[in-house]
């Protein structure tokens, strides 16, 4: 079999990757981007996106067209890893936010294979096949603008995109190609091995298309077992890395694993839960991160942030609400007739990468309704709290923990274990010190409708659950 030049080959038929895009960024930073099912990155507010192709020994591999593509959130947080099979291993793209100085979106590709390959970073208008923001061939950009990219300029390792963003790369591209989006000309040039080897854009270092249909591919060599890292920032921001040598400066940015650990530390506050099934647990991590990263400025989001103990973010949303929305936020909706059914629907509506068309707020509302309720029953003078007011059938017999759930009675924590078909409930209420009188009334209607207590800490072996074997007595 003949050896194929990694800068020339043909790709297979186009293939769409399903699933909503994942928003990435860093808390405290302003940079945001959406990562689609093929690992393409679309900066928030931009009408173009960044795609990645890999030229291996056999042919060019384009993630949106390959069957052997896997994707995951690292640690369940807004750090997205997309792995594509190539000869001798994988090409692994990662996208995540870094805050502070610099503030941007890291886009890196690791060559986890046994041979070097060529990497093409492709800038193209949103709405064309393969661009991020969820657009496919002929589909409009979500903003309704249809997507556009008018010019790209390069000054060594600094690439300016449409005057709105800057792409910092460790070194100037080895080769480059350009064409009109939708015609396939840029792709054909790269795949045929005919990309230009001279300085980008010629004497002016710039390529443009007044019609906004520009497509540009920047090609870099990536040695085996190494990682190519780039950084997307807004052009209006202060130059994030100053006069530092770009390759060294980029290498000093947080890794994907470090970014994921940072997110995990940030999420270790407020109301937390360890749930019986891995999928709902994964969705909880993703939903809490998403609502922290970009909380909607509406009453429902404010209520969810407050009910999950994320008080600082709830206060920020409250400050952005009008009077009518504030009145709505003060009135919590009543517990639905079947909270477990509402939760099941929210879980079923999530994409494989834990995103929702309606956003994370309905899921967080539904899960809170299943875990803790202090809306129905009791009063401000004598609050009542239902621990696990609903119990999904799949959770019967499985352990469960909830920590620091904010209620009118104070912060409530509890753990559920099972002994011979009987639920063992352990609880603790951190009640406000200034509250006079007896403690709040605690109930567990889904576990034992007849049980209640005013003790602020303790444990109780409740009545036998009818769905489990064992001695009802």
């Amino acid at each position: 079999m003949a050896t194929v030049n990694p800068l020339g080959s043909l790709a297979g038929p186009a293939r769409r990757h399903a699933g909503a895009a994942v928003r990435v960024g860093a808390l405290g930073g302003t940079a945001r981007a959406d990562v689609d099912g093929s690992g393409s990155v679309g900066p928030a507010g931009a009408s173009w996106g960044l795609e990645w192709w890999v030229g291996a020994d056999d042919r060019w591999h384009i993630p949106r067209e390959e069957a052997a593509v896997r994707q995951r959130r690292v640690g369940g947080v807004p750090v997205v890893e997309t792995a594509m099979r190539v000869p001798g291993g994988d090409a692994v793209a990662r996208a995540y936010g870094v805050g502070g100085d610099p503030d941007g979106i890291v886009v890196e590709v690791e060559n986890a294979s046994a041979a070097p390959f060529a990497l093409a970073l492709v800038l193209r208008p949103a709405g064309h096949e393969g661009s991020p923001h969820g657009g496919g061939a002929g589909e409009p950009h979500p903003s309704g603008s249809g997507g556009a990219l008018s010019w790209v300029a390069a000054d060594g390792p600094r690439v300016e995109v449409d005057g709105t963003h800057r792409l910092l790369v460790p070194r100037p591209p080895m080769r480059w190609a350009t064409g009109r989006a939708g015609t396939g000309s840029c792709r054909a040039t790269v795949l045929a091995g005919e990309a230009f080897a001279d300085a980008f854009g010629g004497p002016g270092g710039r390529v443009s298309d007044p019609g906004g249909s520009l497509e540009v591919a920047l090609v870099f060599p990536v040695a085996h077992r190494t990682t190519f890292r780039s950084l997307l920032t807004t052009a209006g921001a202060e130059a994030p890395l100053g006069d530092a040598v770009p390759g060294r400066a980029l290498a000093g940015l947080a890794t994907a694993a470090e970014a994921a650990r940072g997110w995990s530390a940030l999420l270790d506050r407020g109301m937390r839960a360890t749930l019986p099934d891995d999928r709902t647990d994964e969705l909880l991590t993703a939903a809490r991160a998403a609502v922290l990263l970009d909380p909607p400025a509406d009453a429902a989001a404010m209520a969810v942030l407050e009910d999950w103990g994320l008080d600082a973010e709830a206060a920020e949303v409250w400050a952005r609400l009008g009077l009518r929305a504030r009145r709505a936020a003060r009135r919590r909706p009543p517990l639905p007739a079947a909270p477990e059914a509402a939760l099941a629907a929210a879980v079923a509506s999530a994409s494989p990468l834990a995103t929702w068309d309606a956003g994370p707020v309905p899921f967080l509302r539904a899960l809170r309704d299943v875990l803790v309720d202090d809306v129905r029953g009791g009063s401000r003078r004598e609050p009542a709290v239902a621990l696990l007011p609903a119990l999904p059938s799949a959770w019967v017999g499985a352990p469960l923990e909830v920590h620091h759930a904010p209620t009118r009675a104070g912060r409530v924590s509890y753990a559920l274990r099972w002994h011979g078909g009987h639920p063992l409930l352990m609880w603790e209420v951190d009640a406000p010190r200034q509250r006079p009188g007896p403690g709040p009334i605690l109930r567990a209607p889904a576990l034992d409708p007849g049980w209640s207590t005013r003790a602020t800490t303790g444990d109780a072996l409740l009545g036998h659950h009818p769905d489990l074997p064992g001695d009802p007595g």
Side-chain angles (χ1 to χ4, degrees):
M1 187 174 184
T3 300
V4 180
N5 183 338
L7 292 178
S9 183
L10 295 177
R15 172 170 142 6
R16 293 290 307 281
H17 285 259
V22 177
R23 174 62 58 95
V24 297
L27 289 184
T30 59
R32 301 287 187 270
D34 298 313
V35 185
D36 73 7
S38 63
S40 297
V41 178
S47 58
W48 53 270
L50 177 66
E51 192 174 344
W52 59 293
W53 306 344
V54 171
D57 284 341
D58 59 340
R59 59 181 175 85
W60 277 90
H61 298 253
I62 299 178
R64 62 184 164 85
E65 301 173 358
E66 296 288 326
V69 173
R70 297 97 63 205
Q71 195 171 52
R72 70 182 184 106
R73 289 175 179 255
V74 178
V77 299
V79 178
V80 181
E81 180 179 277
T82 308
M84 176 175 64
R85 193 69 184 167
V86 296
D90 284 324
V92 184
R94 302 181 186 92
Y96 55 95
V98 290
D101 187 12
D103 173 21
I105 305 297
V106 172
V107 181
E108 67 177 27
V109 178
E110 177 188 357
N111 182 352
S113 76
F117 59 53
L119 169 67
L121 297 181
V122 184
L123 300 160
R124 62 196 315 178
H128 288 273
E129 185 179 329
S131 61
H133 305 295
E139 294 182 10
H141 183 262
S143 67
S145 66
L149 177 59
S150 298
W151 62 268
V152 175
D155 179 12
R158 290 172 172 82
V159 181
E160 302 289 335
V161 186
D162 250 4
T164 61
H165 289 76
R166 179 183 297 114
L167 176 65
L168 187 68
V169 292
R171 53 190 175 274
M174 173 182 68
R175 296 190 182 186
W176 62 278
T178 185
R180 284 182 62 84
T183 66
S185 56
C186 180
R187 169 188 172 124
T189 299
V190 173
L191 270 58
E194 297 175 355
F196 300 112
D198 54 357
F200 178 82
R206 174 177 171 137
V207 294
S208 61
D209 182 337
S213 296
L214 181 65
E215 186 169 307
V216 173
L218 308 174
V219 184
F220 304 87
V222 184
H224 69 287
R225 310 301 180 191
T226 66
T227 298
F228 177 95
R229 180 176 292 169
S230 64
L231 181 70
L232 267 173
T233 66
T234 54
E238 181 180 351
L241 299 175
D243 296 326
V245 178
R248 295 178 184 172
L250 289 169
L253 297 176
T255 65
E258 290 168 342
R261 286 195 294 271
W263 267 106
S264 296
L266 290 168
L267 292 174
D268 190 24
R269 60 190 177 96
M271 175 179 169
R272 302 182 300 283
T274 303
L275 304 174
D277 68 283
D278 292 342
R279 175 60 172 166
T280 310
D281 224 21
E282 170 194 340
L283 294 178
L284 174 57
T285 299
R288 292 179 74 231
V291 80
L292 286 176
L293 187 61
D294 280 323
D298 58 41
M302 184 269 163
V304 157
L305 286 166
E306 191 173 65
D307 286 348
W308 281 87
L310 302 170
D311 297 334
E313 290 76 13
E316 291 177 6
V317 172
W318 177 263
R320 295 156 58 192
L321 298 181
L323 292 178
R324 180 176 297 179
R326 288 185 178 186
R327 285 195 295 269
R330 290 191 186 102
R331 297 189 300 270
R332 293 296 191 272
L335 197 70
E340 64 276 21
L343 176 60
V347 171
S349 67
S351 75
L353 277 189
T355 61
W356 293 265
D357 290 341
V361 169
F363 167 80
L364 290 171
R365 175 77 272 153
L367 182 56
R368 162 80 188 205
D369 286 344
V370 165
L371 297 176
V372 180
D373 173 41
D374 66 337
V375 175
R376 297 201 301 192
S379 63
R380 291 191 178 276
R381 183 180 296 273
E382 190 177 54
V385 179
L387 310 180
L388 205 63
L391 181 63
S393 59
W395 294 7
V396 174
L400 167 71
E401 293 183 12
V402 173
H403 301 277
H404 308 300
T407 72
R408 288 181 296 182
R411 294 193 177 269
V412 175
S413 301
Y414 69 88
L416 175 65
R417 301 293 185 266
W418 298 82
H419 289 279
H422 291 260
L424 173 62
L425 184 65
M426 297 161 278
W427 70 91
E428 181 178 1
V429 181
D430 185 10
R433 293 183 179 179
Q434 67 272 22
R435 185 184 298 281
I441 302 171
L442 301 182
R443 298 188 177 95
L447 299 175
D448 188 337
W451 177 84
S452 67
T453 184
R454 287 185 178 273
T456 56
T457 184
D459 59 77
L461 190 64
L462 305 183
H464 180 269
H465 196 281
D467 293 342
L468 293 176
D471 181 8

